[in-house]
Amino acid sequence: MPEPFYITTPIYYVNDVPHIGHAYTTVAADVLARWHRLLGQEVFFLTGLDEHGQKVQQAAAKAGIAPQEHCDRLTPQFQTLWQKLDVSNDGFIRTTDARHQAVVQRFLRQLHDAGLIYRAEYTGWYCTFDERFWTEKDVDAGRCPDCHRPVEQLSEINYFFRMSRFQQRLLDHLDANPAFIRPESRRNEVLGFLQKPLEDLSISRPKSRLSWGIELPFDTDYVTYVWFDALVNYVSALEYLPAQPSIDRLWPATVHLVGKDILTTHAVYWTTMLMAMEIPLPRTIFAHGWWTVDGEKMSKSRGNVIDPYAVVDQFGADAFRYFMLREIPFGQDGDFSRESLIGRINADLANGLGNLLSRTVTLIQRCCQGMVPAPDPSAMTELDTGLQAAAEALIHTTMPQHLRRMEFNRTLEATWGLVQLGNQYIDKTAPWVLAKDPAATPRLRTVLFHAAETLRFLCLAAYPFMPQTAEEMARQLGLGLDFSQALLKAPIVWGGASGATVVKGKALFPRVEAVATPSPAKPQPEAAAPLAQDEDSRIGIQDFQKVELKVAKVLTAERVPKSNKLLKLQVDIGSEQRQIVAGIGKKYGPEDVVGKTIVVVANLKPAKLMGVESQGMVLAAGDAEVQGLVTFEDQELEPGTRVK
Ligand code: ME8
């Protein structure tokens, strides 16, 4: 039996509703959970809420309700979001659960009895926001070195965990286990942090200052520091949550996924706590990067917090999941903008994957009575074997390699490499041309089989990232795939799509017009400096990618009556024939352009010119007067080939 895969997210504070940052970590964990289930591993995926501490107490006070009521009101906001995002967590923990509190108290007593918790007076600089003390040398001009809010001097009797005792053991562990903290840059941060002597950790708060917490079992005047309470969730959950998780079977956790903001609490506090409790350490702590919005830190005061509910309602869960994991390498910081999201939806999802599925299903319906044909070995070419090899390499080699390293964006890049190859394959093999020649039937059947089979592999590759899309693809392809099964436990074998009855369905991803609502209200700077003219009119690559440029072959041309400027062209753009009205008639006559290989904009909304419908636009040089048509003179290019 392979080792179980136990993955956790941070447990989020319930001081406010969830935002895209919380969704990011949770979706990333979900992708790994789904992937490992496909591989046939036992998976336990834990998420939950951190309900104690000052932040929650303050939020409840602001709302004028008791802290527990505040937590109970906010909990569904997280749980419903996870449902909307198709998060498949096995466990959901709340730290106000009496069973979790009992485990925390047991650990506290154990450490106290072992002399690893002691009482002492401490004077230091306290940051209310971060709920922690800083020493004189840490404080930066009266401000917290972490959040930069003002700190206040406090002298207090508290209980301390002898964290300093474990510094060398932690260094030794880091040394012996290079993959313990990932990525490498974060490991180096922790090593840097451990260059300074490690101090003991205050693990209590006097009730006179903060009452919302778990009472210390050995002093009822105190509650437990929220981080000591919260971190214990990763093991307490295994003791009592439903679905019979078991600490013996599941611990040590395979991976704690966290944001870079809480690296130290996990890499130093949690690991030393575990050492003190004589519990083995997790295999990996992975700290990912930080999302900003339109280049700015996300914050309530800036009014730019992105509501994941609104994004999912507008664009769907899968588009959001895809974008978050495709846009930036996991581990690095990234910027969220509606423009980039829409760019990805149109370019990768609608024009890429959606187009591949829709043209394949349409062609199978049109040419093979809706049934995926079997290939004819005598009609095979290198194009087919190349496509098969690429699909097999993706599922059996590239995906496992990248996902082992949590390289989500590279996994998706590789997957979309296959999507592109699939679309190019259809462009090159031109099944609509083969369909016209009865002698080409064996080739036609072979081509359509390969396109459908590639999509079957793509279903499996897409599933961890985009579960709804994978289900819909499987449905349209007529594949009875049950994704709750360990479909990749044994290598999947090329050939399974033949015989399936395809069902044409709605577009996987309708194109999104970019003019929708702007990013959430962002206060405008009072006197924004005007942008330089050229800077203002520049576009990003995503804008350019929205324009679908394709190679086309001019089949026929004639003048539009009563116009000396317009020519009516019939062009082959690979997937279909189009009528395009072009304003090139002063420079060219119909006889000049027939047979030419030109470039057209294929995704322009149809328009009427002098009463004649035009379903696209040709590219030509010149301003008011056309000076030359963009053509490919000496290359044999297939109609439909993408121009970038
Ligand atoms: O820290 N970009 O909870 P929290 C990326 N309760 N990820 C982000 C993000 C952003 N802008 N904002 C939040 C806590 N996150 C503690 C954790 S664990 C035992 C206790 C994600 O509600 C990221 O995972 O402040 C980050 O670490 C976490 O939310 C912080 O959530």
Side-chain angles (χ1 to χ4, degrees):
M1 276 296 276
E3 201 176 288
F5 184 80
Y6 175 27
I7 183 160
T8 67
T9 72
I11 50 172
Y12 306 110
Y13 284 128
V14 281
N15 57 338
D16 209 343
V17 292
H19 60 64
I20 56 162
H22 303 119
Y24 182 50
T25 323
T26 314
V27 164
D30 186 59
V31 170
L32 293 173
R34 286 177 185 272
W35 170 249
H36 285 272
R37 287 192 200 106
L38 275 188
L39 293 179
Q41 264 175 283
E42 179 188 2
V43 169
F44 193 72
F45 168 16
L46 178 68
T47 188
L49 297 175
D50 188 355
E51 306 194 29
H52 290 125
Q54 195 124 343
K55 281 183 197 164
V56 176
Q57 181 171 294
Q58 278 170 350
K62 210 168 151 198
I65 51 177
Q68 186 65 61
E69 191 186 343
H70 169 84
C71 296
D72 293 345
R73 275 193 200 174
L74 274 180
T75 299
Q77 294 272 354
F78 286 84
Q79 288 174 321
T80 313
L81 179 63
W82 302 153
Q83 277 168 15
K84 251 178 127 71
L85 279 168
D86 290 309
V87 169
S88 63
N89 55 303
D90 302 289
F92 188 89
I93 186 166
R94 297 183 57 185
T95 54
T96 48
D97 190 313
R99 292 164 299 180
H100 165 76
Q101 303 199 36
V103 179
V104 172
Q105 288 185 326
R106 197 177 77 218
F107 283 144
L108 285 165
R109 192 176 292 286
Q110 186 186 325
L111 296 187
H112 191 248
D113 290 350
L116 290 167
I117 286 178
Y118 64 94
R119 186 181 146 100
E121 177 156 18
Y122 183 80
T123 303
W125 294 96
Y126 189 72
C127 171
T128 311
F129 183 81
D130 281 338
E131 297 178 44
R132 61 163 292 179
F133 279 101
W134 296 99
T135 59
E136 186 71 47
K137 64 178 172 359
D138 294 323
V139 170
D140 183 9
R143 288 180 177 268
C144 167
D146 182 46
C147 71
H148 309 293
R149 290 177 172 79
V151 287
E152 54 181 327
Q153 195 161 43
L154 273 185
S155 200
E156 213 170 70
I157 293 185
N158 262 310
Y159 287 85
F160 290 84
F161 163 49
R162 293 193 192 277
M163 191 160 73
S164 56
R165 280 209 189 160
F166 299 91
Q167 178 161 15
Q168 193 52 48
R169 254 179 82 183
L170 178 53
L171 278 165
D172 293 344
H173 187 80
L174 281 163
D175 197 34
N177 298 276
F180 180 53
I181 308 291
R182 289 172 55 201
E184 185 70 22
S185 55
R186 303 281 168 231
R187 177 173 188 266
N188 292 336
E189 261 176 47
V190 176
L191 287 171
F193 181 84
L194 292 171
Q195 295 273 302
K196 284 191 280 183
L198 196 55
E199 293 186 4
D200 289 343
L201 181 68
S202 159
I203 51 93
S204 66
R205 298 291 181 262
K207 279 189 185 167
S208 53
R209 191 153 63 74
L210 172 70
S211 58
W212 186 235
I214 301 174
E215 197 171 85
L216 290 188
F218 38 81
D219 191 334
T220 54
D221 288 338
Y222 288 85
V223 294
T224 311
Y225 171 43
V226 68
W227 271 104
F228 190 99
D229 159 2
L231 288 160
V232 168
N233 94 88
Y234 300 131
V235 290
S236 72
L238 300 183
E239 287 200 17
Y240 70 83
L241 282 188
Q244 303 290 309
S246 133
I247 194 152
D248 298 335
R249 218 173 51 251
L250 294 170
W251 193 262
T254 320
V255 51
H256 290 320
L257 272 194
V258 298
K260 66 178 185 181
D261 55 323
I262 54 176
L263 174 65
T264 312
T265 47
H266 283 77
V268 180
Y269 297 5
W270 178 228
T271 47
T272 53
M273 280 164 67
L274 285 167
M275 283 171 178
M277 295 183 293
E278 294 172 11
I279 296 175
L281 301 190
R283 301 244 182 268
T284 292
I285 297 169
F286 192 106
H288 65 67
W290 211 241
W291 282 93
T292 51
V293 172
D294 294 325
E296 287 187 8
K297 194 169 179 250
M298 212 179 350
S299 76
K300 256 194 163 171
S301 55
R302 284 195 173 90
N304 65 349
V305 177
I306 302 274
D307 171 10
Y309 277 97
V311 180
V312 175
D313 283 342
Q314 191 175 359
F315 301 106
D318 281 0
F320 176 68
R321 290 170 63 112
Y322 174 80
F323 173 76
M324 297 295 276
L325 294 172
R326 171 71 198 256
E327 192 67 1
I328 52 165
F330 204 58
Q332 290 178 25
D333 296 342
D335 190 52
F336 186 98
S337 77
R338 281 176 56 87
E339 289 69 30
S340 320
L341 171 61
I342 292 172
R344 286 254 174 236
I345 293 175
N346 288 342
D348 301 0
L349 304 183
N351 293 351
L353 185 62
N355 189 27
L356 180 60
L357 178 73
S358 119
R359 59 206 296 223
T360 304
V361 169
T362 304
L363 285 162
I364 291 173
Q365 278 189 329
R366 203 183 294 154
C367 309
C368 303
Q369 293 84 47
M371 190 186 282
V372 180
D376 184 329
S378 68
M380 291 219 341
T381 71
E382 276 177 8
L383 274 182
D384 314 332
T385 41
L387 191 62
Q388 175 180 346
E392 287 173 342
L394 174 70
I395 292 283
H396 298 140
T397 315
T398 323
M399 271 190 91
Q401 244 169 30
H402 289 327
L403 286 177
R404 212 172 297 132
R405 298 193 211 114
M406 282 169 251
E407 294 169 339
F408 300 108
N409 70 318
R410 295 187 71 187
T411 313
L412 289 171
E413 264 164 37
T415 307
W416 260 255
L418 182 62
V419 170
Q420 197 185 11
L421 206 64
N423 273 319
Q424 285 167 353
Y425 175 81
I426 295 187
D427 295 340
K428 284 187 191 151
T429 51
W432 50 93
V433 176
L434 298 172
K436 289 183 192 144
D437 175 7
T441 303
R443 179 69 192 134
L444 174 65
R445 292 171 63 81
T446 303
V447 163
L448 293 181
F449 159 78
H450 277 82
E453 187 61 4
T454 302
L455 279 160
R456 186 170 77 99
F457 274 57
L458 281 170
C459 266
L460 288 157
Y463 171 74
F465 293 89
M466 304 200 286
Q468 287 178 24
T469 302
E471 297 274 4
E472 178 60 15
M473 286 170 70
R475 196 188 68 78
Q476 292 197 25
L477 289 163
L479 304 170
L481 288 180
D482 177 358
F483 290 100
S484 70
Q485 300 300 309
L487 297 177
L488 295 178
K489 193 168 179 181
I492 54 162
V493 180
W494 189 255
S498 342
T501 304
V502 301
V503 192
K504 182 91 184 135
K506 59 179 175 36
L508 276 187
F509 295 95
R511 287 183 60 80
V512 181
E513 296 304 327
V515 274
T517 42
S519 294
K522 195 168 85 178
Q524 292 299 314
E526 290 216 335
L531 289 169
Q533 184 61 42
D534 59 343
E535 201 176 324
D536 202 15
S537 57
R538 281 182 300 184
I539 59 168
I541 185 76
Q542 282 89 2
D543 287 322
F544 177 70
Q545 281 168 345
K546 286 176 207 150
V547 183
E548 212 180 286
L549 296 174
K550 284 194 172 175
V551 170
K553 184 131 183 156
V554 183
L555 305 172
T556 63
E558 59 184 284
R559 288 201 178 270
V560 171
K562 299 198 197 114
S563 168
N564 62 354
K565 200 173 153 197
L566 298 181
L567 292 188
K568 184 168 87 175
L569 314 177
Q570 300 298 331
V571 300
D572 175 3
I573 64 159
S575 49
E576 61 191 285
Q577 188 174 317
R578 290 267 183 97
Q579 172 169 296
I580 294 183
V581 179
I584 54 175
K586 282 191 184 166
K587 171 91 178 159
Y588 300 99
E591 63 288 355
D592 299 323
V593 293
V594 171
K596 281 218 166 5
T597 303
I598 60 170
V599 179
V600 301
V601 180
N603 61 341
L604 204 62
K605 282 188 184 154
K608 281 200 170 162
L609 300 175
M610 292 194 65
V612 184
E613 179 163 297
S614 180
Q615 302 153 335
M617 196 177 105
V618 305
L619 291 196
D623 205 353
E625 292 293 322
V626 167
Q627 294 169 27
L629 199 55
V630 176
T631 57
F632 291 99
E633 291 297 351
D634 41 30
Q635 289 124 304
E636 265 303 307
L637 286 174
E638 289 293 329
T641 306
R642 187 93 200 241
V643 179
K644 302 192 284 188

